[in-house]
Amino acid sequence: MTDEGVVKPLEATLDAATKGQAVSGYEDLGIWETIKTFKLCTIVCFAMAFSAATDGYQVGINASIIANQGFVARFATEIGKDGKPALASPILAGWSSIMSCGQIVGMVSLPFLSSSYGRKPAMYTFWVILVCSVLAESLARSWQVWLVGKLLAGIGVGCLQSTVPAYIAEVAPNRIRGGLLMCYSFWWSLGSFFAQVALQHLAQDHPMNYLTPVYTQWAQIGLMFLIYILVPESPAWCIDAGKADRARKELLRLYRGVPGFNVDQQLSVLSLAVEHERAIAAEQRREKWYSIFRGTDGVRTVITLWTNTTQQLIGLTLFGTFGTYFFQQAGLSDPFKIKVITTSIQIATVLILVAIADRLGRRWLACGGTTLSWLACVAIGIIGVVPQSNGSTYAFVFFACLWNVGLAANGATGWGYIGEISSQRLRPYTAGFGAAVTCVVGVVMSNLVPYMTNVNKWDWGLKTGWFYAGVGFPFTLGMWFLIPETSGRSAAELDELFERKIKPWRFHKTETATQRLVQIRRERDS
């Protein structure tokens, strides 16, 4: 071997190390090989994503129970134009917006606990809050108590949303991180689906019963507790907190049975990335949590929040939070059934996304899905201004289904970006703030949508699509310029790409130090 042949691998190794990168030895595994090799790790991430079912069920209940006859009869405070009891728009807006306010509180407060004491104490904290929320909903017999339940639900869900994607991003193998992060959206969609099915069944057979779907949340709460007891602490957090011995213990739990696993090598990979981030932060004097608003970390924060915030501006509150109510106010004869259909399509779409995320990549799914939902809003707005007929109804349902397909792609990737875009040292703060911004917009939309859709108020009907087409356009366009491809990249590789200020649309074409090192080793071993 020539001197050059000896020096080149050494130079590549040193270059990678100076960028906080090292190889784990599993970079050449395919998707299925990675799943089979890291079986326990994959199961842990999939189980953690189950928490999203509670999130989806809460949102689904919030969206659909307000169209349940029994619920309306219990909490109605006024008489509608048809002479029947009706829910007042201010109360509807209050229930929805208080949940979003609660989410904001949870998202911006729990990261301080999560960063200081670990991901598992954070899990136990929001679990207790969710228990209190379900208890309040189970006992509520006045709209004020239901309001308290929604506030607690919002806080618990907000904590959950800022913790679970970050945990999965830290624990999942790089090669399959995208699919595992998208499992969050799968469980969310499934939870929302079960809420619609339960309420649709009750609307047909027991229209005055609204409590059974509320009580079924106790089963989810119980399963979540079992999962949180059994899963290990994040090894990445342990390293960041200076707990190397605990990191070793948790790595041995996560990677039990992995062929050729070298715990010291994996500890070195994690430590290099953390030390590099600290060195850069110290050099730039950006060591505090509020560095999420400055420089490169500020750009990462904007990217983190952009995809999920765009959901709100292309109709999430309209089709999601108030979906059944919107369909009802639009004149559809069976709004629960339509909601079940659209949610079923969303679940099927997410399943496909989970399977292809790490092959096709996240950028195209996020940008393409968002664009599809925006176009559906335009189409629904057009339907709202043309003469109405049976064909208009079918067209509306068709485009509502297309909107759900696009939203599934946006949501699945958006929660992934919440978890993985940030640097390791700022992850809980960036994830919390990024998710909270989404909810701030959600509060605004939750107050506007009941007025836009309520026949007793503004009565915009399908013309509401034009509103979302207008406010959503700049954010949909911005997706194509801001959202990077993160598929297969380690946290340290993403640090390098952001530090080098690579354009988001060129992330997937740019070679990192890790890729160079892997390529050299392949050539050496061939």
Side-chain angles (χ1 to χ4, degrees):
M1 183 177 290
T2 65
D3 288 344
E4 184 181 354
V6 173
V7 172
K8 190 176 180 182
L10 179 59
E11 288 179 343
T13 301
L14 291 174
D15 178 57
T18 58
K19 292 180 171 66
Q21 299 173 42
V23 295
S24 64
Y26 300 99
E27 283 80 10
D28 289 328
L29 294 179
I31 293 174
W32 285 111
E33 289 175 308
T34 302
I35 292 173
K36 288 186 289 184
T37 301
F38 299 98
K39 291 187 286 289
L40 183 58
C41 194
T42 302
I43 291 169
V44 165
C45 292
F46 187 76
M48 276 300 299
F50 172 79
S51 303
T54 298
D55 178 4
Y57 198 89
Q58 273 285 356
V59 173
I61 287 289
N62 209 34
S64 298
I65 203 167
I66 56 177
N68 178 280
Q69 289 184 38
F71 184 86
V72 173
R74 167 64 66 180
F75 296 103
T77 58
E78 63 182 27
I79 302 299
K81 290 180 179 179
D82 57 2
K84 297 179 180 179
L87 299 170
S89 289
I91 292 176
L92 284 173
W95 284 337
S96 181
S97 60
I98 200 70
M99 186 167 178
S100 293
C101 289
Q103 284 177 274
I104 295 168
V105 171
M107 289 167 175
V108 300
S109 60
L110 195 72
F112 292 93
L113 184 152
S114 176
S115 182
S116 299
Y117 300 102
R119 311 311 186 220
K120 290 199 67 166
M123 296 173 201
Y124 296 138
T125 300
F126 68 68
W127 181 84
V128 171
I129 296 171
L130 287 171
V131 167
C132 294
S133 76
V134 176
L135 183 63
E137 291 173 7
S138 299
L139 299 176
R141 296 299 182 269
S142 67
W143 71 265
Q144 293 93 339
V145 178
W146 187 262
L147 186 74
V148 172
K150 289 293 99 181
L151 172 62
L152 291 170
I155 295 172
V157 165
C159 293
L160 183 157
Q161 289 171 330
S162 63
T163 303
V164 173
Y167 177 90
I168 295 173
E170 291 174 348
V171 171
N174 295 330
R175 189 69 181 85
I176 56 173
R177 189 178 63 234
L180 290 174
L181 281 166
M182 288 187 184
C183 286
Y184 186 96
S185 286
F186 165 72
W187 282 116
W188 189 96
S189 299
L190 204 61
S192 178
F193 173 76
F194 284 137
Q196 313 311 327
V197 169
L199 287 165
Q200 199 264 345
H201 172 73
L202 291 173
Q204 292 179 343
D205 301 331
H206 306 283
M208 301 306 291
N209 179 6
Y210 70 92
L211 281 171
T212 298
V214 174
Y215 294 152
T216 55
Q217 293 178 96
W218 289 110
Q220 297 172 26
I221 292 292
L223 285 171
M224 285 171 65
F225 185 65
L226 291 175
I227 291 168
Y228 294 164
I229 288 177
L230 295 173
V231 299
E233 181 57 88
S234 162
W237 174 82
C238 293
I239 290 292
D240 197 34
K243 302 177 184 292
D245 290 339
R246 187 175 181 186
R248 177 184 294 273
K249 174 185 172 184
E250 304 295 11
L251 282 170
L252 289 172
R253 286 181 63 192
L254 276 169
Y255 296 107
R256 186 169 52 207
V258 174
F261 177 67
N262 185 328
V263 68
D264 292 320
Q265 184 177 3
Q266 189 62 33
L267 280 170
S268 175
V269 171
L270 292 174
S271 298
L272 269 174
V274 169
E275 289 167 7
H276 175 72
E277 286 187 6
R278 285 178 179 164
I280 294 295
E283 179 184 326
Q284 299 177 350
R285 297 181 181 179
R286 293 174 182 168
E287 298 170 277
K288 302 296 185 180
W289 70 267
Y290 45 79
S291 295
I292 64 172
F293 304 116
R294 301 172 60 195
T296 301
D297 288 316
V299 173
R300 296 175 83 158
T301 300
V302 171
I303 294 172
T304 296
L305 64 86
W306 196 271
T307 303
N308 275 5
T309 300
T310 303
Q311 287 183 29
Q312 292 287 356
L313 298 166
I314 55 172
L316 178 62
T317 303
L318 179 67
F319 292 97
T321 308
F322 288 98
T324 305
Y325 183 73
F326 176 44
F327 295 146
Q328 183 187 62
Q329 297 295 301
L332 298 182
S333 59
D334 194 343
F336 287 108
K337 185 176 182 179
I338 301 302
K339 185 63 178 175
V340 168
I341 291 171
T342 56
T343 308
S344 300
I345 291 171
Q346 199 167 11
I347 293 172
T349 304
V350 172
L351 280 173
I352 295 171
L353 295 174
V354 169
I356 67 174
D358 289 297
R359 290 189 175 88
L360 188 60
R362 264 88 93 190
R363 172 178 160 81
W364 280 101
L365 294 177
C367 298
T370 303
T371 303
L372 177 61
S373 290
W374 179 81
L375 290 171
C377 288
V378 173
I380 290 170
I382 293 172
I383 295 170
V385 297
V386 300
Q388 300 300 297
S389 64
N390 288 335
S392 301
T393 301
Y394 293 128
F396 167 51
V397 173
F398 171 74
F399 285 110
C401 291
L402 284 185
W403 182 92
N404 274 271
V405 170
L407 193 278
N410 174 293
T413 52
W415 286 111
Y417 288 130
I418 288 284
E420 67 181 346
I421 288 293
S422 171
S423 61
Q424 172 60 38
R425 66 189 175 85
L426 295 174
R427 180 164 284 119
Y429 304 112
T430 306
F433 179 78
V437 170
T438 302
C439 291
V440 170
V441 181
V443 170
V444 176
M445 294 302 169
S446 295
N447 280 279
L448 287 176
V449 168
Y451 288 92
M452 289 190 285
T453 57
N454 194 327
V455 295
N456 298 314
K457 297 296 180 180
W458 300 349
D459 193 21
W460 286 4
L462 301 186
K463 291 189 287 292
T464 307
W466 285 117
F467 172 80
Y468 282 106
V471 298
F473 176 72
F475 287 83
T476 301
L477 183 63
M479 291 283 295
W480 293 96
F481 293 97
L482 277 174
I483 304 304
E485 181 53 71
T486 58
S487 181
R489 303 292 197 183
S490 68
E493 286 181 280
L494 291 176
D495 286 345
E496 178 191 342
L497 292 169
F498 279 112
E499 287 164 15
R500 290 169 58 188
K501 295 181 169 43
I502 302 298
K503 300 297 183 185
W505 56 90
R506 297 193 61 84
F507 264 42
H508 66 293
K509 298 177 182 178
T510 304
E511 186 180 62
T512 63
T514 295
Q515 287 178 308
R516 285 191 294 275
L517 186 55
V518 170
Q519 183 59 38
I520 289 169
R521 293 194 175 191
R522 284 176 187 161
E523 293 172 356
R524 183 190 63 189
D525 296 337
S526 62

